[in-house]
Amino acid sequence: MRIGIIGGGQLGLMMAEAAHSLNHFVIGLDPIKDCPLSTVADSMIIANYNDLNAFDKLANLVDVITYEFENVDLDLIEKYIQKIPQKSSALRISKNRFLEKTFAVQSAIPTVKFELMDIQKDIFYPSIVKTTTGGYDGKGQFKLQSQNDVDNLRLNSESSYIIEELFHFDYEISVISTRGFSGEIIHFPIPKNTHKEGILFTCEITNDLPKEVCDKAIQYSELIASQLDYVGTIAVEYFVKNNQVYFNEFAPRPHNSGHYTIEGCNVSQFENHIRAITNDRLISPMLINNTWMINVLGQDDIFIERMNPTICTYHNYNKHEKKLNRKMGHITCVDENEELLEKTIEYIKG
Ligand code: ADP
Ligand code: MG
């Protein structure tokens, strides 16, 4: 099939690699000529994400379209919805944190306490203020510990915000699932995630999380994906405290915490995504071996030097400009020996 990928970042790149392994043809759309996807796509349309002519051109050239990030224009997605199996509900809701958390509440899925922020009304702390739209990797978030932080808070009057209790979770997880056209849904082994400054740092996948936690999280993820009538790979992030599972947010696309699946599983989150959107058979994922993933940001070149090449693989996103906190690649470490994995990651982290 001919697949159009909107968004040329690392997710687009890894989607295209999976598409090629299944003998599909890939056309990318991104404003940046030498974006990561351009290094593997069969063809690129260089245009903005809200360029109607470019969307028209892409839609005419391909059988199916997928998007790899949430900031794509919703009206354009609606216009070409016939070719977009991910559809628009998941995108519309995940674009806005207030809608997203309200959707969870309406689905009877627990969340931490949150409200639409009104600076004139009661502000509680400790809390986190987050922009409702456009935030990612911890951007657009402010911690409030005291009235002093409130006094120093500089909010953009054009934006809206939510205020959330600062939650003392035991750990964070994410469920990566793929749902097919007929509603069948599969789930990847659940990673335990750590973040640094709001950016995903490491994922640990050892299949030894408490069963009740996994069962609950999977139950919530199934509910979310089916209510959205979503097709493709979807990721839902959760906080876990005292074995209770709390929804944080979801992403209607493959997710950074699922990158481990490329080496760690018999099928990757990208391959199942491509299989889903092309109405192909989904493959039931299994963990081949214990796996850890660590992100390599612009300032983390040293991580690559510290890799143990016998158990580690580096994925380079082919980005030209290195910037502080920009995701440049990731490292996956796979081995049955958990102790060795932990030591390897500790050494890489330094
Ligand atoms: P983003 O879209 O930037 O990923 P998140 O809401 O997932 O936004 O926040 C990023 C990270 O910040 C989370 O994975 C978590 O580590 C931390 N965080 C977010 N909200 C809370 C909260 N209410 N309490 C404690 N930590 C939080
Ligand atoms: Mg997040």
Side-chain angles (χ1 to χ4, degrees):
M1 279 178 125
R2 297 170 81 87
I3 301 176
I5 300 180
I6 299 169
Q10 61 270 19
L11 298 176
L13 168 92
M14 289 182 272
M15 278 185 192
E17 285 170 345
H20 282 160
S21 76
L22 295 164
N23 296 320
H24 297 298
F25 185 90
V26 172
I27 305 180
L29 188 155
D30 195 273
I32 299 169
K33 194 161 169 272
D34 57 3
C35 62
L37 173 58
S38 72
T39 59
V40 294
D42 299 291
S43 171
M44 287 295 297
I45 296 173
I46 305 303
N48 278 324
Y49 303 122
N50 57 0
D51 182 331
L52 179 63
N53 290 334
F55 263 66
D56 248 343
K57 189 171 165 194
L58 182 69
N60 283 327
L61 286 171
V62 299
D63 304 298
V64 62
I65 295 177
T66 179
Y67 52 82
E68 59 114 45
F69 77 134
E70 284 97 315
N71 285 332
V72 52
D73 190 288
L74 196 57
D75 291 337
L76 285 178
I77 296 293
E78 300 273 8
K79 182 157 189 252
Y80 298 101
I81 201 85
Q82 296 307 333
K83 287 207 169 172
I84 308 180
Q86 282 154 293
K87 303 188 193 73
S88 59
S89 305
L91 188 63
R92 184 175 52 79
I93 294 173
S94 65
K95 267 174 174 286
N96 184 306
R97 287 186 199 281
F98 184 68
L99 285 185
E100 192 176 33
K101 292 209 186 236
T102 304
F103 168 75
V105 171
Q106 286 167 349
S107 309
I109 299 173
T111 65
V112 300
K113 178 182 168 189
F114 73 96
E115 281 170 17
L116 201 56
M117 170 116 170
D118 179 348
I119 199 93
Q120 313 301 337
K121 284 214 310 215
D122 292 344
I123 302 281
F124 55 86
Y125 30 77
S127 56
I128 302 192
V129 173
K130 302 178 179 178
T131 52
T132 51
T133 57
Y136 65 97
D137 284 347
K139 290 192 177 71
Q141 301 193 5
F142 315 91
K143 275 195 187 138
L144 302 182
Q145 298 285 0
S146 65
Q147 182 60 42
N148 197 27
D149 293 332
V150 182
D151 295 341
N152 290 325
L153 194 61
R154 294 284 169 266
L155 299 182
N156 180 344
S157 58
E158 311 273 285
S159 307
S160 61
Y161 296 85
I162 59 167
I163 179 164
E164 242 176 65
E165 85 178 275
L166 183 67
F167 195 58
H168 296 288
F169 48 76
D170 297 331
Y171 54 91
E172 292 183 83
I173 58 169
S174 49
V175 178
I176 317 291
S177 314
T178 309
R179 186 169 179 272
F181 270 97
S182 61
E184 78 274 25
I185 184 160
I186 54 88
H187 310 282
F188 288 87
I190 297 178
K192 202 167 170 178
N193 305 324
T194 67
H195 293 77
K196 210 159 100 179
E197 295 173 38
I199 307 171
L200 184 69
F201 187 38
T202 62
C203 302
E204 173 193 352
I205 310 92
T206 51
N207 260 349
D208 59 3
L209 289 173
K211 186 174 177 313
E212 59 176 307
V213 169
C214 294
D215 288 351
K216 262 285 170 241
I218 285 173
Q219 182 197 326
Y220 297 155
S221 285
E222 284 195 4
L223 188 61
I224 290 168
S226 63
Q227 282 192 334
L228 298 168
D229 196 19
Y230 181 81
V231 171
T233 292
I234 183 168
V236 188
E237 299 176 12
Y238 299 97
F239 302 136
V240 182
K241 189 177 175 70
N242 299 332
N243 286 346
Q244 299 297 309
V245 176
Y246 301 82
F247 169 90
N248 177 31
E249 62 171 352
F250 73 82
R253 52 170 171 78
H255 190 258
N256 194 169
S257 65
H259 291 357
Y260 85 88
T261 58
I262 298 176
E263 284 84 23
C265 292
N266 56 328
V267 60
S268 78
Q269 62 165 350
F270 300 101
E271 178 172 341
N272 264 344
H273 180 70
I274 297 295
R275 284 176 172 274
I277 63 165
T278 55
N279 202 6
D280 201 349
R281 180 182 57 90
L282 301 185
I283 295 180
S284 202
M286 278 177 329
L287 194 65
I288 296 170
N289 232 330
N290 294 317
T291 306
W292 284 68
M293 193 276 321
I294 181 163
N295 268 340
V296 178
L297 306 181
Q299 63 275 26
D300 296 331
D301 271 359
I302 185 84
F303 289 2
I304 305 162
E305 289 165 37
R306 294 191 191 129
M307 275 180 17
N308 169 354
T310 54
I311 62 166
C312 299
T313 309
Y314 179 57
H315 288 255
N316 184 347
Y317 302 155
N318 303 325
K319 292 182 184 172
H320 298 291
E321 202 188 341
K322 229 174 256 173
K323 283 192 216 158
L324 183 76
N325 286 345
R326 185 177 198 203
K327 290 173 182 167
M328 303 304 293
H330 72 265
I331 296 169
T332 318
C333 312
V334 183
D335 199 88
E336 63 185 317
N337 184 338
E338 277 184 52
E339 216 173 295
L340 174 66
L341 285 180
E342 202 171 333
K343 270 196 192 140
T344 306
I345 290 288
E346 285 307 318
Y347 180 70
I348 290 175
K349 285 199 278 194

